[in-house]
Amino acid sequence: MFKNWFGKRAARAQWDTGLVWFRLRYLEPERPTRCINLLSRSPACGRVALYYRPGEAVSELYLGAPGTHVRLVQRMAADFGFSLKPMSPEVTMSPAARMTAVSDLPWDRAFVAHIANEFAFVCLVEDENKGGAYLPQPPSLEPGRGPATWRLSDNPLPGLVLKPTWNGGQPPAHLRATQPDPRCWLLGRSQSGSPLHVTGRINIYGRQEAVADWLVQQVTQMVTHNHTDLIVVDGAGDLVPNLKRKAAVTRLLGEQLTYVDIDSASLVGGFNPLALVPGETEAAQLQRWQNWFQGMHVHPQGLHLLTPAQQAGVGDIPALQKWLKQVERQEQSAAVASLRLALTRLTANRALREWVAWPTNPWSQVGAGVLLFACRAESWERRHLLRAVLLAAAGQREKKLVVHGFPWATFAIEDMRLCPALFISNGPPLAGAAALLVQSDPQMAAKVGQRYLSSDPRLVENMQLLQRGEGILVEAGSIVFTTWQGRLAGQEQVC
């Protein structure tokens, strides 16, 4: 069987082109080695391929399996506890030429290997152009010989191992939280278990679910230790509802915490996007109105109507709609039409119309407490309602603001220019801001790694291996691992 297969170059080439490749990472070699051997038997795949590329900082190991057996391979990887990720399109696979039966894989050099019926056959990549057929008489045919002893590396290099490899360095003193500081953002713990914090502005990048998971833990801890001066705006709907399930948050509902979820079927309330916010002058309120409606492409003549509307005592959406009917009778229909069109679109959805019909002012309830606001940005009117919240929140410079799931491609970051303590997810880079990198897909990891990690192969690899609740903090040239997991016994939970 071996001799016939090795001798048929056409069949070999066809088999090679039908392979589906995966990046392979593992913790211990025994289980993936056992899995690959099982896959190499005739009742399973019959043959699988390995491709190894050593690197100075990060090595790479790929597993190739016939396309007809991909689901089996993925299921076995899950059962045997190792990682298979789709191979990046940028990786060029080296074709195998002459192969030699081996008992140990040559981990000091690049190679292509075929595992057939638990035996390993190897071609060194640098020898691929020397020609030659596959070994015609593999050692498996020798009488009395058992399966070959090949196995994956017992000491996998970075890139093969399924966990980040950190340098063990300590974070700078200004990042270590030795005592509570309400001006700071809590950011988990370092490798040594020291609580971390940062002041100012922060960008967080990663998969949306990983970002939401991080922020749930972060906001919960912040609220636990200081439930004042925090606003959380959730445009994805996967942050604020999960925060409400936390005991540290629910115990504050009422006077110390205001909860608004526009898309909640069980929550009844109102919201007034035109309401005066604490500390805001009437001039600042008028400017906020004009900025908001300008973003809805209201004609300048319609924007000018907001001044007399404010002077007439208008302070919410229903009152503005009634006032416009009076103005229209005064032969100002051209100015009214543009403003009315924006209001009509804003209230076209029944659920949203019911919220603004009861013009509750949540800002008057917040005071020095916490506001949690959720509205999924899945339509035009919801996106603009979110922007109304951001415009109001950005003017309260004494508060810390978390913005998650906002449609940054639709609205500019200039709305946030006055907010000194801002934490935004997957948004435009903030000038002078720290960056927190959490679990990402390969494409985002490469892009974010280029900007914040100088495309350092080891650090980009570590970012791709982050688990939920883990991150890489980049601040003023310092790169620090941080996590909410594995808090050390005998230490305070957070600062």
Side-chain angles (χ1 to χ4, degrees):
M1 178 185 69
F2 286 104
K3 183 174 181 178
N4 292 338
W5 199 93
F6 277 103
K8 296 180 179 179
R9 289 181 174 271
R12 183 189 67 201
Q14 183 179 5
W15 183 82
D16 284 338
T17 57
L19 293 178
V20 178
W21 289 91
F22 298 92
R23 178 82 179 269
L24 171 63
R25 298 182 180 94
Y26 59 94
L27 289 175
E28 300 293 338
E30 287 80 6
R31 293 171 67 84
T33 300
R34 176 60 176 161
C35 177
I36 293 173
N37 278 331
L38 290 174
L39 289 170
S40 73
R41 294 178 178 178
S42 55
C45 297
R47 179 181 297 264
V48 293
L50 296 175
Y51 175 43
Y52 173 67
R53 300 197 310 181
E56 293 183 5
V58 175
S59 301
E60 299 172 3
L61 178 62
Y62 296 91
L63 171 70
T68 54
H69 292 74
V70 166
R71 293 186 64 182
L72 171 64
V73 172
Q74 293 174 324
R75 186 165 60 249
M76 292 186 70
D79 292 341
F80 280 78
F82 59 94
S83 169
L84 289 180
K85 299 294 183 183
M87 184 176 67
S88 172
E90 291 77 20
V91 177
T92 302
M93 190 59 56
S94 298
R98 182 182 181 183
M99 305 195 86
T100 304
V102 297
S103 57
D104 297 302
L105 298 178
W107 295 105
D108 58 332
R109 305 174 72 178
F111 65 80
V112 175
H114 285 185
I115 311 300
N117 199 26
E118 302 188 34
F119 293 95
F121 303 87
V122 169
C123 168
L124 297 179
V125 170
E126 54 264 41
D127 295 336
E128 64 184 22
N129 295 322
K130 294 184 179 180
Y134 285 11
L135 189 68
Q137 184 74 11
S140 61
L141 299 181
E142 295 179 5
R145 174 167 177 150
T149 58
W150 83 272
R151 58 186 282 124
L152 296 176
S153 175
D154 290 314
N155 299 302
L157 298 171
L160 276 63
V161 66
L162 189 57
K163 61 181 179 181
T165 53
W166 305 106
N167 57 16
Q170 295 299 312
H174 71 278
L175 296 181
R176 297 198 293 268
T178 57
Q179 59 184 358
D181 189 342
R183 300 169 301 173
C184 294
W185 300 100
L186 295 177
L187 293 178
R189 291 181 177 274
S190 68
Q191 290 174 263
S192 61
S194 300
L196 300 175
H197 65 184
V198 170
T199 58
R201 297 180 162 201
I202 304 179
N203 284 101
I204 181 171
Y205 294 103
R207 295 167 54 194
Q208 180 174 303
E209 57 270 28
V211 170
D213 184 75
W214 174 278
L215 290 175
V216 166
Q217 298 184 70
Q218 177 179 343
V219 173
T220 300
Q221 293 300 320
M222 293 181 66
V223 169
T224 299
H225 292 270
N226 182 28
H227 47 269
T228 62
D229 299 327
L230 177 64
I231 300 172
V232 179
V233 180
D234 176 15
D238 57 358
L239 172 56
V240 164
N242 286 326
L243 283 171
K244 192 183 178 184
R245 299 186 180 99
K246 299 295 183 178
V249 175
T250 55
R251 67 182 178 83
L252 299 175
L253 287 173
E255 295 183 0
Q256 297 172 314
L257 187 145
T258 301
Y259 180 87
V260 179
D261 186 353
I262 299 297
D263 298 298
S264 173
S266 60
L267 191 64
V268 178
F271 176 72
N272 180 13
L274 301 181
L276 191 71
V277 301
E280 186 179 46
T281 64
E282 291 186 356
Q285 180 191 40
L286 177 60
Q287 183 63 55
R288 174 166 57 86
W289 291 4
Q290 292 173 339
N291 289 344
W292 186 42
F293 282 106
Q294 185 179 28
M296 295 186 232
H297 304 292
V298 171
H299 193 275
Q301 293 182 357
L303 297 178
H304 291 325
L305 285 178
L306 295 174
T307 301
Q310 186 191 52
Q311 295 172 349
V314 170
D316 54 61
I317 297 297
L320 181 58
Q321 291 173 320
K322 293 179 182 178
W323 183 82
L324 286 176
K325 292 181 180 179
Q326 300 174 0
V327 174
E328 189 175 26
R329 291 195 294 267
Q330 300 173 10
E331 299 181 355
Q332 298 188 52
S333 57
V336 169
S338 179
L339 189 55
R340 174 177 288 175
L341 177 61
L343 292 173
T344 300
R345 292 190 66 184
L346 189 67
T347 58
N349 180 273
R350 177 180 176 182
L352 191 58
R353 184 170 63 249
E354 291 177 348
W355 275 90
V356 299
W358 294 91
T360 305
N361 182 4
W363 305 110
S364 65
Q365 306 170 21
V366 173
V370 176
L371 171 64
L372 304 180
F373 186 96
C375 179
R376 290 194 296 272
E378 56 190 15
S379 61
W380 183 91
E381 64 274 9
R382 279 173 162 74
R383 290 194 292 269
H384 282 282
L385 188 63
L386 271 174
R387 184 166 178 262
V389 178
L390 290 183
L391 288 170
Q396 302 183 61
R397 304 188 63 182
E398 74 285 356
K399 291 187 178 293
K400 296 188 290 292
L401 176 59
V402 176
V403 184
H404 171 65
F406 191 73
W408 297 109
T410 307
F411 302 111
I413 195 66
E414 281 74 16
D415 290 342
M416 306 288 99
R417 64 186 182 277
L418 298 178
C419 187
L422 177 61
F423 201 119
I424 67 172
S425 71
N426 292 327
L430 301 168
L436 184 64
L437 315 179
V438 298
Q439 190 182 60
S440 304
D441 57 44
Q443 291 76 18
M444 176 175 282
K447 183 177 180 180
V448 174
Q450 181 180 14
R451 179 177 182 87
Y452 292 104
L453 303 175
S454 301
S455 295
D456 181 285
R458 184 180 62 84
L459 292 176
V460 174
E461 174 75 6
N462 285 347
M463 182 168 56
Q464 295 186 62
L465 295 176
L466 292 173
Q467 301 298 314
R468 294 287 185 90
E470 296 179 342
I472 299 176
L473 173 63
V474 183
E475 194 270 344
S478 299
I479 300 177
V480 180
F481 171 73
T482 179
T483 179
W484 293 108
Q485 311 300 330
R487 300 180 179 89
L488 301 183
Q491 294 184 329
E492 68 280 11
Q493 190 172 17
V494 291
C495 67

